[in-house]
């Protein structure tokens, strides 16, 4: 059994749980430790199983709760060296550990595959988490797909896939021009349409579930994201994550 859950997903905070009967890992800790623990409990997910936290990049919506969570659970928090040095000091755990993009490492019964991606951060990474022949990907904060992203996506049985903005809403929305350019750039975020194209072109036949993740509050709606990705529903489940609470637990 493999349980996966978006504890938080959006520009206000991100954290993704992947666990089996014995071990679990968190990808990112972008909300408070209190909220992470509360949401895990609400979904009947045991925080005592969490063996490590992996940080994708230094933006606060991915690392805000890392320091307190590491102390509370007495677990290591993994960064790349560049991400660690770019993170605000008040968010850093006392005893960090480090990983190299492209080099797999083992945590409990899991193998973690970190890889570089395109985003406006110092050394941004996404992750594929492998256990017992099953693979779960966490693919958010991606400006445009690169070979790393398409390769690892092709191996996934389930994926948290960024579906950040609707292109028309971004174009006509309230963001200033420079911010619109940043979001839509090759180092920004994936639109609903880009997420659909990526999944249609690169997902493997074994893909069972896609969680639409990191939706913008200003430039997207859950309804638009779901309707854009609707063509995928003939092949796999398509589910929403939430900016305000933990999503449903999916058993793989």
């Amino acid at each position: 059994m493999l349980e996966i859950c978006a504890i938080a997903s959006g520009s206000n905070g991100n954290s993704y749980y992947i666990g089996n009967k014995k071990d679990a890992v968190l990808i990112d800790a972008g909300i408070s430790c209190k909220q992470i623990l509360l949401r895990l409990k609400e979904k009947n997910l045991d925080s005592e199983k969490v063996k490590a936290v992996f940080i994708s990049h230094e933006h606060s919506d991915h690392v805000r709760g890392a320091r307190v969570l590491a102390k509370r659970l007495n677990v290591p928090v993994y960064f790349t060296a560049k991400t660690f040095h770019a993170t605000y000091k008040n968010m850093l755990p006392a005893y960090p550990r480090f990983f190299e993009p492209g080099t797999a490492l083992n945590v409990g019964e899991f193998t973690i595959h970190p890889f570089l991606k395109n985003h406006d951060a110092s050394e941004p990474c996404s992750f594929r988490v492998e256990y017992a022949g099953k693979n779960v990907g966490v693919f958010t904060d991606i400006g445009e797909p690169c070979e790393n992203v398409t390769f690892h996506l092709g191996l996934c049985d389930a994926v948290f896939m960024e579906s950040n903005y609707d292109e028309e809403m971004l174009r006509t929305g309230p963001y200033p021009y420079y911010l619109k350019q940043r979001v839509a750039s090759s180092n920004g975020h994936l639109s609903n349409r880009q997420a659909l194209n990526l999944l249609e072109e690169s997902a493997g036949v074994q893909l069972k579930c896609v969680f639409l993740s990191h939706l913008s509050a200003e430039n997207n709606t859950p309804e638009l994201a779901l309707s854009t990705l609707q063509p995928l529903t003939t092949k796999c489940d398509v589910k929403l994550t939430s900016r305000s609470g933990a999503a449903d637990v999916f058993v793989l």
Side-chain angles (χ1 to χ4, degrees):
M1 182 186 69
L2 194 59
E3 294 179 313
I4 61 179
C5 181
I7 303 303
S9 187
S11 56
N12 59 334
N14 296 271
S15 187
Y16 304 91
Y17 172 98
I18 303 162
N20 60 24
K21 291 183 178 180
K22 180 181 176 183
D23 300 317
V25 295
L26 289 176
I27 305 298
D28 288 330
I31 58 175
S32 70
C33 171
K34 180 180 179 179
Q35 278 297 312
I36 290 174
L37 296 179
L38 177 63
R39 295 180 191 187
L40 287 171
K41 185 176 181 180
E42 287 174 349
K43 295 298 178 179
N44 294 314
L45 299 171
D46 185 2
S47 62
E48 295 298 317
K49 294 197 298 186
V50 175
K51 299 299 190 294
V53 180
F54 286 82
I55 301 300
S56 62
H57 62 293
E58 68 270 17
H59 296 164
S60 61
D61 59 319
H62 295 263
V63 71
R64 184 180 292 115
R67 180 182 64 82
V68 178
L69 189 66
K71 185 175 182 180
R72 178 69 178 272
L73 296 182
N74 191 29
V75 297
V77 180
Y78 286 83
F79 302 77
T80 72
K82 289 182 180 179
T83 294
F84 179 81
H85 291 298
T87 299
Y88 288 122
K89 303 308 178 189
N90 66 338
M91 298 180 185
L92 291 173
Y95 303 103
R97 295 188 188 177
F98 297 94
F99 66 86
E100 290 287 338
T103 300
L105 66 160
N106 295 320
V107 173
E109 297 182 335
F110 293 98
T111 301
I112 316 298
H113 301 268
F115 54 92
L116 292 172
K117 61 185 177 185
N118 294 316
H119 191 55
D120 59 349
S122 58
E123 198 170 27
C125 291
S126 277
F127 302 90
R128 174 170 57 89
V129 179
E130 181 181 4
Y131 166 71
K134 298 177 181 178
N135 291 272
V136 178
V138 180
F139 295 171
T140 65
D141 299 77
I142 295 169
E144 65 180 11
C146 61
E147 289 185 4
N148 288 343
V149 167
T150 58
F151 171 77
H152 287 279
L153 174 58
L155 300 174
C156 286
D157 298 272
V159 62
F160 296 99
M161 175 59 68
E162 177 168 68
S163 191
N164 180 255
Y165 65 96
D166 173 78
E167 292 169 356
E168 183 63 14
M169 282 189 69
L170 178 65
R171 186 183 69 82
T172 61
Y175 277 11
Y177 178 75
Y178 80 90
L179 189 52
K180 293 180 181 182
Q181 292 295 102
R182 173 188 173 271
V183 169
S185 75
S186 61
N187 288 314
H189 295 275
L190 289 181
S191 70
N192 297 334
R193 179 185 58 81
Q194 288 174 312
L196 174 63
N197 292 343
L198 173 58
L199 287 159
E200 286 185 328
E201 293 171 4
S202 300
V205 295
Q206 77 281 3
L207 184 66
K208 296 177 180 63
C209 191
V210 174
F211 292 88
L212 304 184
S213 303
H214 213 302
L215 273 67
S216 170
E218 297 80 13
N219 303 304
N220 207 354
T221 68
E223 294 77 15
L224 274 173
L226 278 174
S227 65
T228 303
L229 278 291
Q230 194 276 336
L232 292 177
T233 58
T234 61
K235 303 175 183 177
C236 62
D237 289 339
V238 178
K239 299 179 180 293
L240 286 168
T241 59
S242 173
R243 297 172 53 84
S244 59
D248 292 338
V249 176
F250 183 79
V251 179
L252 188 62

